[in-house]
Amino acid sequence: MSDRETDYDVIVVGGGPSGATAAHEIALAGHKVLLLERAFRIKPCGGAIPPCTLGEFDIPRSLLKAEIQSARMISPKAQKVDMPIEGTFVGMVDRDEFDPWLRLRAQRAGADLELAAFKKVEYIDKTTLRVTYVSKDEDTETRTATARCVLGADGARSQVARQGIPKHADVPWVLAYHEIVEAPEAATEDYDPERCEVWYQGGLSPDFYAWVFPHGKSASIGVGSAHKDFSAKKSVNELRAISGLDTAETIRKEGAPIPMKPMKRWDDGKALLVSGDAAGVVAPASGEGIYYAMLCGRLSADAIKNFLVTGKASALRAPRKRFMKLHGRTFFALGLLQYFWYHSDKRREQFVEMCKDEDVQILTWQAYTQKKLVKKKKKEHLRVFIKDVAQLLGLSKTAA
């Protein structure tokens, strides 16, 4: 334990779903928290969250802009496969509203929120960290604050991780870019306000996918790719034209890197931890990140509360261990899916064809909406595995 009095118990860098969730739960426990948010900027995001998020994190249903009832998978040959969601839905949020709500909740729990750009984190003794940042709340000025613990939730290119995590290395990422447009007032032949569209076409994305996701009165049209010479804006323009949304008024445009693999280490062994995109917790293949970011924020909050009470640095190793125990296998499986099925248009065609299968649809939606698999459905799991392998080896009757 430190004898030095600090300005805060915890400084959280980054006010997205992960950082805001952590700040809320740490402050709720009575600890003094400073939450630094760079610019209240909006991350490019399809905005999908599983319905279990509402109950697990006490999110009001009123924040949902749409409740999706099906997904349409579109192959390189324009084959369209609809996957209805039976008995539940996929919630759609607008990060322009969702993130500020989470930050406000953290404030109401007692956290101080400051608009600021993080610059530096350093130890001034064995147990005290000092964070340097440029405040933008009033007059732009450089400030410092001390804390017993720092949580970096500052995105895929986390400066906290770069400065503080030993042997930090860049994780694989894709550049996500989307345009939020005004949605048609009613359903059209090409657009349904209760249906997500996922485009698996190499012309739109050579290694990931493109999407059209309804957000109520608006829609997200986006794409992701890790190719450096890929033009995301050109691809989105093409998708807007294909979807009949080329004349829709553009509300805003956003782009940012999305990590595709959890970092091997999330703490520095002393008093610094990273969470959310900074820790790499975005699902491969799907790019889903909001739920995992919030879960990561909660696990980080639990660890930090333990650390503040015990003073044991080993407490900060818990979030990664717990997260990987819960979802490590899922991330591994999705990584393989992305590697094999996104490799070429031939395989993308096979993948979309496979999505017609009822077993595949049931297990996909059950795993997504509940974030767990039903152990009783062992036969369904086996059948899906066999079909998956058959498709990959070209042993099925599916057209390639």
Side-chain angles (χ1 to χ4, degrees):
M1 304 290 287
S2 174
D3 294 328
R4 183 189 297 268
E5 184 176 346
T6 58
D7 300 316
Y8 293 91
D9 295 317
V10 183
I11 296 175
V12 179
V13 181
S18 194
T21 297
H24 168 251
E25 300 200 2
I26 296 169
L28 206 59
H31 300 292
K32 193 173 183 182
V33 180
L34 172 63
L35 177 59
L36 300 177
E37 165 59 23
R38 181 170 58 183
F40 298 148
R41 66 184 293 272
I42 309 161
K43 174 186 170 183
C45 177
I49 62 171
C52 63
T53 309
L54 304 181
E56 288 186 33
F57 296 96
D58 196 22
I59 303 298
R61 200 160 177 168
S62 59
L63 280 177
L64 299 183
K65 296 300 183 182
E67 295 185 6
I68 300 302
Q69 303 300 316
S70 69
R72 172 169 287 179
M73 323 296 272
I74 304 167
S75 78
K77 295 181 179 179
Q79 176 184 195
K80 298 177 180 179
V81 175
D82 287 344
M83 298 177 63
I85 306 173
E86 301 293 342
T88 183
F89 60 89
V90 173
M92 304 301 296
V93 298
D94 189 335
R95 297 288 294 273
D96 192 24
E97 178 182 3
F98 188 68
D99 289 20
W101 185 90
L102 293 174
R103 290 192 287 266
L104 178 59
R105 181 167 69 170
Q107 283 184 284
R108 288 173 173 170
D112 290 339
L113 174 63
E114 189 164 351
L115 178 63
F118 167 83
K119 293 299 179 182
K120 186 178 181 181
V121 59
E122 58 190 330
Y123 283 91
I124 55 177
D125 63 31
K126 292 182 178 180
T127 57
T128 306
L129 289 145
R130 178 169 58 207
V131 171
T132 302
Y133 59 95
V134 177
S135 175
K136 299 179 181 179
D137 273 347
E138 298 175 2
D139 296 329
T140 300
E141 62 175 308
T142 299
R143 297 179 184 177
T144 62
T146 57
R148 293 174 55 198
C149 183
V150 169
L151 177 65
D154 52 335
R157 293 177 177 172
S158 169
Q159 289 302 310
V160 174
R162 289 178 184 275
Q163 294 181 28
I165 303 299
K167 298 181 181 179
H168 168 75
D170 291 334
V171 299
W173 55 273
V174 300
L175 174 66
Y177 171 79
H178 78 162
E179 297 180 2
I180 298 292
V181 304
E182 288 189 358
E185 294 184 1
T188 66
E189 182 178 348
D190 298 313
Y191 180 84
D192 185 333
E194 294 186 345
R195 182 187 69 216
C196 285
E197 291 188 354
V198 187
W199 294 71
Y200 294 101
Q201 296 183 354
L204 292 174
S205 173
D207 56 337
F208 203 57
Y209 66 82
W211 69 83
V212 177
F213 288 173
H215 288 176
K217 294 182 179 180
S218 64
S220 166
I221 307 171
V223 67
S225 176
H227 288 207
K228 294 182 179 180
D229 58 350
F230 173 73
S231 175
K233 291 184 178 180
K234 179 181 178 182
S235 182
V236 168
N237 283 339
E238 291 178 5
L239 183 54
R240 289 184 64 162
I242 296 170
S243 303
L245 297 170
D246 49 331
T247 59
E249 183 175 344
T250 301
I251 299 173
R252 63 179 191 268
K253 304 176 181 181
E254 297 140 6
I258 308 296
M260 286 288 110
K261 187 177 181 180
M263 284 177 54
K264 292 183 178 180
R265 184 167 182 175
W266 296 359
D267 72 292
D268 71 345
K270 294 183 286 185
L272 187 146
L273 182 67
V274 293
S275 180
D277 280 16
V281 292
V282 174
S286 69
E288 180 193 358
I290 297 176
Y291 173 84
Y292 293 118
M294 295 179 72
L295 174 62
C296 195
R298 169 166 289 172
L299 298 179
S300 297
D302 290 344
I304 289 171
K305 288 184 287 185
N306 186 16
F307 169 77
L308 293 175
V309 172
T310 65
K312 295 181 178 180
S314 59
L316 300 182
R317 294 200 295 266
R320 190 183 191 282
K321 290 181 179 179
R322 292 178 63 190
F323 185 91
M324 297 307 290
K325 184 176 181 180
L326 289 169
H327 300 290
R329 290 183 180 179
T330 298
F331 273 48
F332 177 75
L334 289 173
L336 289 179
L337 186 154
Q338 181 173 340
Y339 176 80
F340 286 116
W341 294 118
Y342 296 6
H343 182 71
S344 67
D345 270 354
K346 178 180 179 180
R347 290 188 181 176
R348 293 185 188 98
E349 196 72 39
Q350 293 174 315
F351 174 68
V352 173
E353 177 72 23
M354 192 173 65
C355 291
K356 291 180 179 179
D357 187 271
E358 185 177 350
D359 289 332
V360 171
Q361 295 186 11
I362 291 173
L363 292 180
T364 295
W365 289 127
Q366 187 271 324
Y368 177 84
T369 59
Q370 299 180 36
K371 288 293 171 270
K372 60 184 178 181
L373 294 175
V374 177
K375 294 182 179 179
K376 295 180 180 179
K377 294 184 177 291
K378 293 182 180 180
K379 291 182 179 180
E380 286 86 343
H381 289 289
L382 180 59
R383 286 202 299 267
V384 168
F385 174 75
I386 293 173
K387 293 168 187 174
D388 194 31
V389 172
Q391 285 278 12
L392 186 59
L393 297 179
L395 300 177
S396 70
K397 296 181 181 179
T398 303

